[in-house]
Each structure stands twice: as C-alpha cells, then as structure tokens.
Amino acid sequence: MRIVVLTGGIGGAKFLVGVRAHARAVGADVTAVVNVGDDVRMHGLQICPDLDSVMYTLGGAHDPERGWGRVGETWVVKEELAAYGVEPSWFGLGDKDTATHLVRTQMLTAGYPLSAVTAALCERWQPGVTLLPATDDRVETHVVVDVDGERKAIHFQEWWVRYRGELPTHRFVFVGADAAKPAPGVLDAIAAADVVLLAPSNPVVSIAPILAVDQIREAVVGGSAPVVGVSPIIGESPIRGMADKCLATLGVAVSAAGVGALYGSRADNGLLDGWLIDSTDDGTEVPGVPTRAVPLWMSSEETTAQMVRDALSLAGVS
Ligand code: GDP
Ligand code: CA
C-alpha cells in the first residue's frame, strides 16, 4: 500500500510517527508532502520549520517538551547574536539547529533545490518515510495585520513567534503560490497513492499552503485515491498551536464540524471522502462527508497508529 500524507510541522510529525508504525507493520510505503509556507530566511540562513519538525521527530532527535527543535539544544549563537544587537531577536535559533540551517543554506546557494537538500539532510536522520517539500519554489505565508496603527503584511513567523498572533488579523496570503510548481516526486506520489491522508495539522497555515500550489490541489481532488482528513480540533480548541486564531480570522468555527466543512466534500469539489473526528465530537455532521468518531489524542505511537488504521478503514483501504 502507498500512503501520502499532507502535513505541517509538530502535529503532523506526531501523526507521521503513527503512520510509520502502521506502515512498518504492514509493509506500506509512506510519502509526506510537507508545508513550506513557514519557511523564512533569518541571519542569512534558510529555515524550514515544518520540514525540520518532521525530520527531527521521525529521526528521534526532537525536543518533545518544547515541541520544536532539537532535544538537548544550546543557545550560544542566539546569545551572541543578541550581544551584537542583531535583529530579529525574537526568533529561537538553537546551536544544533543552526548546523542544519547552515548545511541547507550552503546547498541551496550551490544550486540544489530544496527537495534535494531535504533528501541529503534525511540521509543523517533516516526518517523512515520519504519527505518531500510541497514545492522547491518560494511559497511563504504572510499575514495581513494592523500593527502600530498601520495595516501591513508580515511573515507568518513574525505574526506567531513575535506577536503570538495577538494582532488584529485580516487574512493569510501564500506569497508565490500562484507560480509555484510541485516539487519533484509530489505528483507521482499522489498519482500512485492508494490513499491520501490530511494530518491533523493546522488547516489554515499548514495544509492550505500545500494545496495553494494548484497542481497539488488538482492532483489530490482529481486523483483516484480516497482522501481522509484527521481533525486537529477536539471539542472547541486545537490541542496546541494557533489553529483557533487562524480559523477565527477566516470566520470558521473552531470545531471538527468547522474544519471539516472548510475542507469540504470531494463530491462538491472539496477535498474529503472521509473525516475522522474525536470520540467526544461524535454526532458532528459535515455536509456530504462521512465522519467517524474515534480517540484522536496522539498520546503514544500505538494510539496514533490506531488512529491511522481508523483513517484507512474510513477510506476503505485497510
Ligand atoms: P505546526 O506546523 O508545528 O503548527 O504543526 P501542524 O500544523 O502540523 O499541527 C498543529 C496542529 O496539531 C494543531 O492545530 C493541534 O490542534 C494539532 N494537534 C496536536 N496534537 C494533537 C493530538 O494529539 N491530536 C489531534 N487530533 N491533533 C493534535
Ligand atoms: Ca508550521
């Protein structure tokens, strides 16, 4: 069986741990198509937060408490940059992480596309799934906000890390998405997939920027593989992160029903053939989309693998 997962960073990485466990048990092949909308250049370094979250988590090197970055991280470079008074000072740049960014930036500068750089980094981390950036082109999520009495677009990282999303927020823009092409391997993986899963990632700033690449959306919506999404919302809040703030900006209810309807039914030019929701949300209805309620807390590899089996069963491919 071939499984394609569209994913953001931390939530998606946790989900992929379960996907990998299931895949190993049944001999399935997994390709993760990862959001690049959070990517940003800082201090001359190209930083890919979602690719790194997935790579470190699957490589067993992530910090489970902080959620992002490397376990056992130190912060000398960050302190030294601050001593020089260099901005941005609000961005967390760990020493171990910096080595990853240096390798990546050096390879990009030498002319390698991000997909090739990712494959090279993964030689060290052996994530056990194929990691593909959604695109090798620049797609960056910017956020239209009011700040200091002025309306402007700032990078998603600045919106979230610097301002904690606490600004009057009007919309999200995926800069570059119109002209972006899928990275090599993305369309082939979707075409060959037996099932496409949407990780319980942020629908607005993790999944949407992937699908903002037209050819990816067309391949998923027009493809033969069933598409099942896993809700990142349990009850009325995201488990972690900023999905509530993002959904509110779009006027979408922070609930499994709200996100399910945002993705929409495949029968109606939307995405979903099935929507997996948490047991506590049983009874949730999404027009045109079969739902199934199961425990969605990713508290261990085994519980997450069970979620994956439930998603595959809902897709009719288990
Ligand atoms: P980011 O790119 O690092 O923000 O991570 P993602 O976009 O991949 O995932 C963030 C989402 O993961 C948040 O909206 C959370 O609600 C969701 N999430 C985190 N832990 C869990 C969990 O245990 N179960 C479910 N269903 N969702 C989760
Ligand atoms: Ca992210």
Side-chain angles (χ1 to χ4, degrees), residues 4 6 17 25 34 57 61 106 115 145 166 173 175 198 241 287:
V4 167
L6 308 191
V17 169
V34 185
T57 302
Q106 212 168 5
S115 50
V145 295
E166 307 277 344
V173 183
V175 177
L198 309 184

Side-chain angles (χ1 to χ4, degrees), residues 5 7 10-11 16 61-62 94 102 132 137 140 165 174 205 217 237 254 265 268 273 281-282 285 287 289:
V5 183
T7 179
I10 298 169
L16 281 162
H62 68 299
L102 282 167
L132 299 176
D137 300 323
E140 267 181 21
F174 307 123
V205 294
R217 189 183 174 94
S237 59
V254 183
S265 163
D268 203 16
D273 295 298
D281 294 315
D282 200 4
E285 289 190 13
V289 183

Side-chain angles (χ1 to χ4, degrees), residues 152-194:
K152 58 179 180 180
I154 59 176
H155 192 286
F156 169 74
Q157 295 292 348
E158 189 172 4
W159 179 75
W160 179 242
V161 181
R162 181 175 183 185
Y163 293 109
R164 309 308 301 170
E166 307 277 344
L167 290 172
T169 301
H170 303 287
R171 61 199 172 92
F172 297 89
V173 183
F174 307 123
V175 177
D178 287 354
K181 299 275 175 271
V186 170
L187 294 182
D188 289 345
I190 295 169
D194 297 297

Side-chain angles (χ1 to χ4, degrees), residues 10-206:
I10 298 169
K14 269 201 215 162
F15 183 67
L16 281 162
V17 169
V19 177
R20 180 179 62 183
H22 174 74
R24 280 182 177 155
V26 301
D29 175 82
V30 182
T31 300
V33 178
V34 185
N35 173 43
V36 298
D38 298 10
D39 294 10
V40 65
R41 193 163 279 246
M42 288 198 184
H43 307 295
L45 301 175
Q46 187 67 17
I47 298 168
C48 300
D50 287 2
L51 279 166
D52 286 349
S53 288
V54 172
M55 184 175 77
Y56 293 153
T57 302
L58 293 176
H62 68 299
D63 186 325
E65 259 139 58
R66 198 179 335 110
W68 55 272
R70 298 278 302 279
V71 69
E73 187 59 283
T74 55
W75 306 91
V76 176
V77 170
K78 186 176 188 226
E79 286 158 21
E80 286 295 309
L81 287 166
Y84 281 112
V86 179
E87 292 294 336
S89 52
W90 45 264
F91 194 76
L93 194 62
D95 298 333
K96 294 184 182 193
D97 214 10
T98 296
T100 305
H101 308 324
L102 282 167
V103 174
R104 175 186 292 123
T105 308
Q106 212 168 5
M107 286 189 72
L108 289 169
T109 307
Y112 291 96
L114 182 61
S115 50
V117 176
T118 303
L121 293 170
C122 284
E123 276 175 33
R124 173 176 177 196
W125 296 109
Q126 296 293 318
V129 312
T130 303
L131 291 194
L132 299 176
T135 176
D136 281 334
D137 300 323
R138 175 173 174 246
V139 173
E140 267 181 21
T141 302
H142 288 209
V143 192
V144 179
V145 295
D146 295 330
V147 59
D148 301 331
E150 208 187 324
R151 181 157 303 185
K152 58 179 180 180
I154 59 176
H155 192 286
F156 169 74
Q157 295 292 348
E158 189 172 4
W159 179 75
W160 179 242
V161 181
R162 181 175 183 185
Y163 293 109
R164 309 308 301 170
E166 307 277 344
L167 290 172
T169 301
H170 303 287
R171 61 199 172 92
F172 297 89
V173 183
F174 307 123
V175 177
D178 287 354
K181 299 275 175 271
V186 170
L187 294 182
D188 289 345
I190 295 169
D194 297 297
V195 62
V196 175
L197 301 177
L198 309 184
S201 289
N202 187 312
V204 181
V205 294
S206 289

